[in-house]
């Protein structure tokens, strides 16, 4: 179910006893609470334990272009080359040429700096991701020699709310976590005391969510799959 920012705010203030059932906030209270809600989401984005999934997306490269911006910031011009949510981190990637997939090694800035001939043209084999703002930046090596497809797997977090009526589909556990966290955030502003059960529920929900997010996937014990998206620090000599 899609959840609005206003519904999260109303629930949080009911937990604090600021609102009664059926009541809603004033316009100024709602805007202040929206700012606090987005501040909480922003703080979650800095902690990998809140990243709920990795998402694979397909884009098309441009022949002889090795650098691409990625992200989606309304009002920012020009738009990114790859319009999607800005990746927090890229954890895997490959290019597809004539239905054959070539994995890309994830490299560091140090590796990129030590590549002597950066203008090599061919099928990309390595990817450097710079989490710049407002758009991230992807650098490929070698520079693609054709308009081929690239598949990028990136970690994802819930996004900020653009307005009180904005909606988003939240992963299991995140709606309640936001409601409880926002109640904790707003309590001092309203001179309210956070009930012990709210704090206990917040800690329990946070522990459950983190355990779910960091739980390793089952390992296939019959096949040995190579780690093709290893991060490299230095070019081979």
């Amino acid at each position: 179910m899609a959840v609005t920012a206003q519904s999260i705010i109303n629930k949080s203030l009911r937990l604090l006893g600021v609102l009664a059932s059926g009541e809603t906030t004033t316009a100024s209270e709602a805007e202040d609470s929206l700012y606090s809600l987005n501040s909480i989401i922003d703080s979650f984005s800095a902690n990998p334990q809140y990243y709920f999934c990795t998402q694979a997306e397909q884009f098309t490269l441009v022949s002889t272009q090795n650098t691409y911006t990625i992200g989606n910031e309304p009002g920012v011009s020009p738009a990114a080359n790859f319009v999607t949510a800005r990746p927090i981190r890229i954890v895997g990637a490959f290019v597809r040429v004539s239905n054959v997939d070539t994995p890309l090694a994830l490299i560091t800035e140090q590796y990129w700096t030590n590549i002597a001939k950066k203008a090599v043209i061919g099928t990309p084999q390595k990817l450097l991701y710079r989490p710049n703002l407002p758009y991230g930046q992807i650098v490929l090596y070698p520079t693609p020699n054709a308009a081929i497809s690239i598949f990028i797997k990136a970690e994802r977090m819930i996004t900020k709310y653009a307005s009180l009526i904005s909606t988003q589909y939240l992963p299991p556990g995140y709606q309640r976590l936001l409601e409880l966290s926002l109640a904790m955030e707003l309590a001092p502003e309203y001179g309210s005391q956070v009930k012990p059960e709210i704090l206990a529920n917040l800690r329990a929900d946070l522990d459950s969510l983190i355990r779910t997010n960091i739980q390793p996937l089952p390992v296939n014990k019959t096949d040995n799959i190579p780690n093709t998206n290893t991060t490299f620090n230095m070019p081979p000599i």
Side-chain angles (χ1 to χ4, degrees):
M1 180 180 69
V3 181
T4 66
Q6 184 71 69
S7 64
I8 294 174
I9 291 168
N10 289 347
K11 175 63 175 179
S12 299
L13 292 178
R14 287 198 300 271
L15 289 171
L16 293 176
V18 175
L19 295 180
S21 178
E23 290 184 338
T24 189
T25 58
T26 66
S28 59
E29 288 173 340
E31 288 300 326
D32 289 344
S33 299
L34 177 62
Y35 183 90
S36 296
L37 175 60
N38 283 332
S39 179
I40 290 170
I41 295 174
D42 180 70
S43 69
F44 286 175
S45 298
N47 189 338
Q49 293 178 323
Y50 291 99
Y51 305 164
F52 65 91
C53 77
T54 55
Q55 180 180 7
E57 295 181 281
Q58 178 181 356
F59 306 98
T60 302
L61 300 177
V62 177
S63 179
T64 70
Q65 179 179 333
N66 79 324
T67 302
Y68 301 82
T69 53
I70 182 169
N72 184 20
E73 289 293 334
V76 176
S77 182
N81 300 121
F82 302 153
V83 179
T84 184
R86 172 184 167 276
I88 301 169
R89 294 187 297 195
I90 291 177
V91 296
F94 64 89
V95 292
R96 178 170 293 167
V97 181
S98 301
N99 292 323
V100 176
D101 296 341
T102 300
L104 301 178
L106 307 179
I107 63 174
T108 63
E109 287 285 357
Q110 186 178 13
Y111 190 107
W112 172 251
T113 299
N114 284 278
I115 294 176
K117 297 181 179 179
K118 296 180 173 62
V120 174
I121 305 292
T123 299
Q125 298 176 356
K126 296 175 175 59
L127 181 150
L128 168 65
Y129 180 59
R130 295 168 174 154
N132 300 340
L133 293 171
Y135 300 134
Q137 186 181 69
I138 291 171
V139 182
L140 299 174
Y141 177 84
T143 298
N145 57 1
I148 59 178
S149 294
I150 184 171
F151 295 78
I152 295 172
K153 191 173 185 181
E155 292 178 318
R156 291 290 185 229
M157 239 299 287
I158 58 176
T159 59
K160 295 181 181 180
Y161 281 94
S163 69
L164 291 165
I165 61 173
S166 298
T167 62
Q168 64 174 306
Y169 289 91
L170 297 175
Y174 278 78
Q175 179 179 345
R176 181 173 168 85
L177 178 64
L178 289 176
E179 291 167 351
L180 296 174
S181 298
L182 184 58
M184 292 282 295
E185 185 83 6
L186 294 178
E189 297 184 26
Y190 288 92
S192 299
Q193 294 291 327
V194 178
K195 296 179 181 178
E197 56 266 31
I198 293 179
L199 183 57
N201 288 338
L202 177 59
R203 288 172 175 167
D205 289 352
L206 182 57
D207 289 343
S208 297
L209 185 144
I210 290 175
R211 281 197 303 270
T212 298
N213 287 351
I214 66 175
Q215 182 177 357
L217 295 174
V219 176
N220 186 333
K221 297 184 182 300
T222 59
D223 296 320
N224 292 320
I225 301 176
N227 182 5
T228 55
N229 290 116
T230 303
T231 299
F232 290 92
N233 288 310
M234 295 287 290
I237 298 175

